[in-house]
Amino acid sequence: VEKNLARRKVVPDRLVIRGGEFDTLDGWEVEEGTASATLDRGTFVTAPSSVKLVSTKRAALRVKIPGVLKPKTKYRVSFFLKTENVNPSGGAFVEFGLCKDWYYLPGYGKIPPSGTVDWLYQSYEFTTPDGADTDPDAYFHLLLTSPGTAWYDGLRVEEL
């Protein structure tokens, strides 16, 4: 990974969600599919570890992030992603959504990688709907939509 991406300047008072350094999986749960999720302390971009998701089918790992979003506000989701032997029928990506009615915010980063790909920095932007103030909880989903292995690191949500 290029060093400048790993050390990308972030304005601290605009950083809404930071915690993608993965020193623990407390609060994260495997939501669907046949998968294992572990911390990988030997493969990461931001220390001390990344999340390694191994799936034989389809898998989703999620965490709830309570009360952090404002209505009609623009945000950027960013993360690092690495894959190994991911079936081309699917891919690996990060999804971010609001809890209310499971409204998923548009964007999944760039085209989900498949096959074997070294660390990629990905990001996308979205604007929350009017109702975000009545149900500001959100979820991060780390998705692997076919058999293979994916690593996720450095998850961030930044208010723009």
Side-chain angles (χ1 to χ4, degrees), residues 13 17 20 24 27 29 43 49 57-58 67 79 82 95 98 107 114-115 121 129-130 133 136 139 143 145 147-148 160:
D13 63 343
I17 298 171
T24 180
E29 60 185 48
T43 304
S49 58
K57 200 171 184 179
R58 173 186 161 84
F79 54 95
K82 175 180 176 165
E95 182 176 64
L98 299 179
S114 62
Y121 172 80
D130 286 342
D133 57 343
Y139 277 97
L143 295 162
T145 60
L160 300 179

Side-chain angles (χ1 to χ4, degrees), residues 14-79:
R14 293 180 181 246
L15 197 57
V16 176
I17 298 171
R18 180 180 182 191
E21 286 80 24
F22 296 113
D23 56 353
T24 180
L25 284 178
D26 290 349
W28 288 85
E29 60 185 48
V30 175
E31 185 178 81
E32 59 183 272
T34 306
S36 68
T38 57
L39 293 177
D40 188 335
R41 297 192 189 283
T43 304
F44 56 84
V45 176
T46 58
S49 58
S50 65
V51 169
K52 180 180 180 181
L53 188 59
V54 180
S55 178
T56 58
K57 200 171 184 179
R58 173 186 161 84
L61 184 67
R62 74 174 182 171
V63 67
K64 184 176 181 178
I65 300 132
V68 296
L69 301 179
K70 297 186 276 190
K72 296 193 273 184
T73 304
K74 191 171 186 175
Y75 295 92
R76 177 183 300 118
V77 174
S78 61
F79 54 95

